[in-house]
Structure formats: C-alpha cells, structure tokens
Amino acid sequence: MSGVKHYFTVFGYYAKLAIQRQLEYPLFLVSWLLMIPTQYFAGIWMLRIIVDKFQPLEGWTFNDLAFLYGLGLLSHGLVVVFFIPTWGTESAVLRGEFDRLLLRPLNVFFQFITGYFNFIGLIDLIPGIVIFLYAAHAVGFNWGLLSILKLVITIIGGVLIRGGIYTIVGAVAFWTKRSGNLIGMTIATLERTTMYPLTLYPYVVQVVLTFLLPIGFISFYPAESFLGKTASLELPVDMTIGTLIVGLVCMAVAYMVFRQGLRRYESAGS
C-alpha cells in the first residue's frame, strides 16, 4: 500500500512541475483554446451537413451521431492529458531520454507516462463535454446513477484502449527508431473511425476495428447500448463492462510490448 502511495506522490510532483512549465507560455494556452474547440466543433458541423444531405447514416440520426462523437471525444481528451508522451516515443528513443529513466528506482513505464502531465490537453475535453451534453439532452439520455456509472466505466475503458494502442504503436521505435508517422496515422484513424457508426464500413473492416484494433469499443458499441439500438456485437457482459475489460487487456498487452521494446533500447551514448 505504501508503494502505491509513493507512486501517487511522485505523480503529484510530476504533474505540478508540468503544469508550472506549461503556464509559463500563456499565449500558447490561448492559441490552443481557440484552435482545438474550433477543430472539433467543425467536425460536428460536418456531421450535420452529411446527415442533412444524405439522411440518417445506417439509421443513425444527427443526434445519435453527435452522442457517438461526443462520447469518443471524452476519452480522447483524457488520453491527450495522460498519455501524450506515447506520441513522442520516437523522439525519446533517439534522444536517449530513457537513459535517465532507467537509472531511477521507479518503473520506467510509469516514469515515461507520468513524466509529462499535459495540463493544456484539458482543453481537448471542452468540445467533448459540450457536444456530449447537447447530444445527451437531444436523445433523452437517462442521468440516473447506474447510467452515470456506466458512462464513467465506458470513458475509462476508452482511455485505456486509446492509451494502449498509442503505447504499442509508439513502442515500434525501440526496434525501428521510427514511429512518428505511425503515431500520426493512428491518431487520424482513431479520430475518423470514432466519428461514424462501425456498420458503415465493410464487414472485414468492422472485424479489424473490433478484434485487431478494438476501436469499436471506445464509443460505437457503448453508444449502441446507451441509445437502445440493436447490438451489433453480443457479449456475455454489459457493453460498458466489455469496454473496460478490452481496455485493461489493451494496456496489459501495451505494457508487455513496451517492456520488450525497452530491452532493445540502445543508449544515445556520447
């Protein structure tokens, strides 16, 4: 128990230092505040245009799509806060930043993930919260205790899935020294595929986005459950619990891949 407390204490210090560093550049904070919400509100506007032009997509109305989109953005916003170091694994490998992490008496993966608490990334949550609250009201979402609990579990599961995928893709740099392009492609893929119902894609793509890259569990399958739609995938447990289980499995696999990659790490030397 004392070990867990120690890790939380270390995380607190890391977060405090990271916040202080980021607040040193207020203009960057302002620019981020303008840029990020604009980007995602433009995304929901595009969904509105698509539905108005082509009618509901596979039975999903604009309000349904907004609910799906907002739900996905909530986990995206938290990943940007807690897992953004995984986007820079390539740089960390090339610069030899793991040298100092390996010398410290702390888990290297923990140090790497918590070493940069992206306080400014909280801005990414703003459009997600606004869009989700609007859509939840529009579809008549039940704000009962059980529904809120399921929502929280779904978001946690979504964060773990996203974080696990980014960790695995970023860890490719341990073997190839390059993963930046793969990370960029993965970010774009996650952003695009969580905007639309999975049933829009060919069956083969649906299988890939369910079992190989379990992106469908981030928002699509839970949204189906919340909206009372016919389930595209039957699980022996509630879909929200399924999302959490998939998230935990993703993070476990990601941790093992990271550990294996770390064994291939070569110091930057002098």
Side-chain angles (χ1 to χ4, degrees):
M1 195 66 182
S2 60
V4 175
K5 182 180 179 181
H6 175 64
Y7 273 91
F8 271 108
T9 301
V10 172
F11 170 72
Y13 281 118
Y14 278 160
K16 181 180 178 181
L17 291 173
I19 292 172
Q20 289 175 342
R21 290 199 303 269
Q22 292 167 62
L23 291 180
E24 289 180 358
Y25 305 97
L27 289 180
F28 179 74
L29 179 63
V30 172
S31 64
W32 205 254
L33 185 60
L34 293 174
M35 179 179 65
I36 294 301
T38 300
Q39 174 185 345
Y40 291 109
F41 287 137
I44 196 65
W45 183 249
M46 284 301 299
L47 284 177
R48 180 84 216 191
I49 294 174
I50 291 172
V51 172
D52 287 345
K53 292 290 185 181
F54 301 103
Q55 305 304 315
L57 304 179
E58 290 289 322
W60 289 66
T61 65
F62 170 71
N63 290 333
D64 295 336
L65 292 171
F67 185 90
L68 172 69
Y69 187 43
L71 183 59
L73 286 181
L74 292 177
S75 59
H76 164 77
L78 291 174
V79 160
V80 172
V81 174
F82 294 104
F83 283 92
I84 204 167
T86 60
W87 296 7
T89 307
E90 173 187 308
S91 176
V93 169
L94 294 177
R95 294 182 180 183
E97 293 179 10
F98 285 97
D99 290 2
R100 56 187 174 84
L101 302 186
L102 287 165
L103 293 174
R104 295 172 180 169
L106 278 176
N107 181 278
V108 176
F109 182 68
F110 170 82
Q111 293 183 70
F112 180 59
I113 296 298
T114 61
Y116 186 76
F117 178 78
N118 189 24
F119 172 72
I120 294 179
L122 289 172
I123 294 173
D124 283 63
L125 274 173
I126 296 175
I129 292 173
V130 172
I131 292 171
F132 182 79
L133 289 178
Y134 160 79
H137 174 74
V139 301
F141 180 72
N142 175 21
W143 288 100
L145 182 59
L146 180 59
S147 295
I148 294 175
L149 179 60
K150 288 183 176 181
L151 177 62
V152 171
I153 292 174
T154 297
I155 294 171
I156 292 174
V159 170
L160 293 176
I161 293 171
R162 289 179 184 270
I165 292 174
Y166 288 140
T167 299
I168 293 170
V169 174
V172 170
F174 286 120
W175 287 274
T176 66
K177 303 298 185 294
R178 291 289 184 271
S179 64
N181 290 336
L182 284 176
I183 282 290
M185 184 176 68
T186 303
I187 294 171
T189 300
L190 283 168
E191 288 188 356
R192 299 296 182 270
T193 53
T194 53
M195 285 181 65
Y196 305 105
L198 214 59
T199 48
L200 283 178
Y201 302 103
Y203 180 74
V204 173
V205 177
Q206 294 182 42
V207 171
V208 170
L209 297 182
T210 298
F211 300 106
L212 185 58
L213 287 175
I215 296 172
F217 288 95
I218 294 174
S219 56
F220 173 68
Y221 293 122
E224 278 190 330
S225 177
F226 284 125
L227 295 172
K229 294 183 177 293
T230 302
S232 301
L233 179 67
E234 296 289 346
L235 292 179
V237 295
D238 186 89
M239 189 53 67
T240 55
I241 300 299
T243 296
L244 180 60
I245 292 173
V246 171
L248 291 171
V249 171
C250 278
M251 281 308 303
V253 172
Y255 181 69
M256 289 188 291
V257 171
F258 184 88
R259 288 288 301 274
Q260 288 298 318
L262 198 58
R263 294 177 181 177
R264 300 293 299 271
Y265 172 68
E266 300 174 353
S267 174
S270 58

